[in-house]
Amino acid sequence: MDFVKKVAVIVGGGSGMGRATAEALARQGATLAIVDLPGGKGAAAAADLDASFHPCDVTDETGSEEALAAVVDRHGGLHIAVNTAGGGVSRRIISKEGPLPMAGFRRIIELNLMATFNLNRLQAWHMSKNEPTEDGERGVIINTSSIAAFEGQIGQVAYSAAKAGIAGMSLTMARDLGGLGIRVMTIAPSLFATGLLEGASEEIISTLTKDAAFPKRAGRPEEYAWLAEAIIKNPMLNGQTIRLDGGQRFAPR
């Protein structure tokens, strides 16, 4: 898909991989909309990039629907969606306090898996109304998983389950939406210099990335953005999860 005159929504676009992707798509000539938490960095990023800003907590089903509707009302359509919002905490199934509370497990599933699917179904609905390109393409959805989906570490059971669910949706969703000319891809990053790792010491980063093949460092947000660009441009990339990890495989801890 070409970028020019296409509307791209970046969920979580205020910082990290989302911000880097927004910057990359802006350079390519896309019309940008940033969806992020109210009170976060989304408004500033939108101002810097001449994008519209739509405050939203992605765990709010109705709020997400309203935010995406506002994007379409503002820009006249939706062609590209990159979803980077999510997160998790580390907690074992059994600890001194007892078994992992179901509320904690449910919260991580809702933030990552449930919110992603809700965004996807709404994004696909708006994309289905687009005029197809010469190749019949109407839209591209990119989701964010993690290599924890495949070799989660101790304490990551909820996060691994959620991210595995996102990866598991890719092919089935691509098949569901293929007749409409909508592609679905997932990126599974390793440790990236965003969020809690942003500004971490070299010693901490070195310890966390020692199992990588090359490069033995945290990923950079722009490296996620480069892959997102390639996915959007290449119509043969569909229904897959691509690891973005420098050959790293998580050890148990």
Side-chain angles (χ1 to χ4, degrees):
M1 176 171 282
D2 189 12
F3 296 90
V4 179
K5 296 183 179 179
K6 298 298 190 301
V7 179
V9 62
I10 314 298
V11 181
S15 60
M17 297 180 291
R19 169 72 188 247
T21 302
E23 292 173 351
L25 300 194
R27 288 192 294 269
Q28 295 286 349
T31 299
L32 289 181
I34 290 177
V35 173
D36 214 324
L37 287 168
K41 298 180 179 179
D48 291 343
L49 298 171
D50 194 25
S52 63
F53 174 59
H54 308 271
C56 175
D57 179 343
V58 295
T59 62
D60 180 350
E61 181 179 333
T62 301
S64 297
E65 185 171 5
E66 291 172 348
L68 291 174
V71 171
V72 174
D73 288 345
R74 172 76 176 268
H75 300 293
L78 177 59
H79 305 89
I80 299 163
V82 182
N83 303 301
T84 66
V89 294
S90 180
R91 187 161 180 186
R92 293 178 184 237
I93 300 171
I94 302 296
S95 68
K96 293 179 180 178
E97 290 75 33
L100 175 67
M102 282 303 298
F105 185 89
R106 188 176 294 111
R107 186 163 51 250
I108 299 302
I109 297 295
E110 289 177 350
L111 172 60
N112 294 278
L113 179 57
M114 298 291 289
T116 295
F117 177 74
N118 185 45
L119 289 165
N120 289 171
R121 71 184 185 92
L122 298 168
Q123 291 159 348
W125 173 249
H126 290 299
M127 290 175 181
S128 72
K129 301 175 183 179
N130 293 335
E131 287 295 321
T133 66
E134 291 182 1
D135 290 336
E137 190 169 24
R138 285 188 169 90
V140 182
I141 296 171
I142 300 174
N143 293 323
T144 305
S145 179
S146 165
I147 64 170
F150 312 107
E151 59 265 354
Q153 295 182 301
I154 290 171
Q156 289 186 326
V157 63
Y159 185 71
S160 293
K163 291 301 188 179
I166 293 172
M169 290 194 299
S170 292
L171 178 58
T172 305
M173 197 177 297
R175 287 171 166 171
D176 273 2
L177 300 174
L180 296 169
I182 299 171
R183 293 188 287 122
V184 182
M185 286 288 293
T186 298
I187 298 174
S190 57
L191 294 163
F192 267 60
T194 62
L196 293 176
L197 275 187
E198 194 171 10
S201 69
E202 288 296 326
E203 181 180 1
I204 291 174
I205 296 295
S206 177
T207 299
L208 293 173
T209 59
K210 62 182 175 59
D211 295 317
F214 179 85
K216 290 182 180 294
R217 59 167 171 78
R220 296 166 181 158
E222 61 267 26
E223 291 166 335
Y224 178 101
W226 295 341
L227 181 53
E229 280 188 88
I231 288 170
I232 294 163
K233 289 179 181 179
N234 193 332
M236 287 299 287
L237 289 173
N238 195 15
Q240 301 179 55
T241 297
I242 300 177
R243 293 179 66 122
L244 188 63
D245 61 11
Q248 182 169 11
R249 298 296 182 269
F250 277 155
R253 67 178 77 212

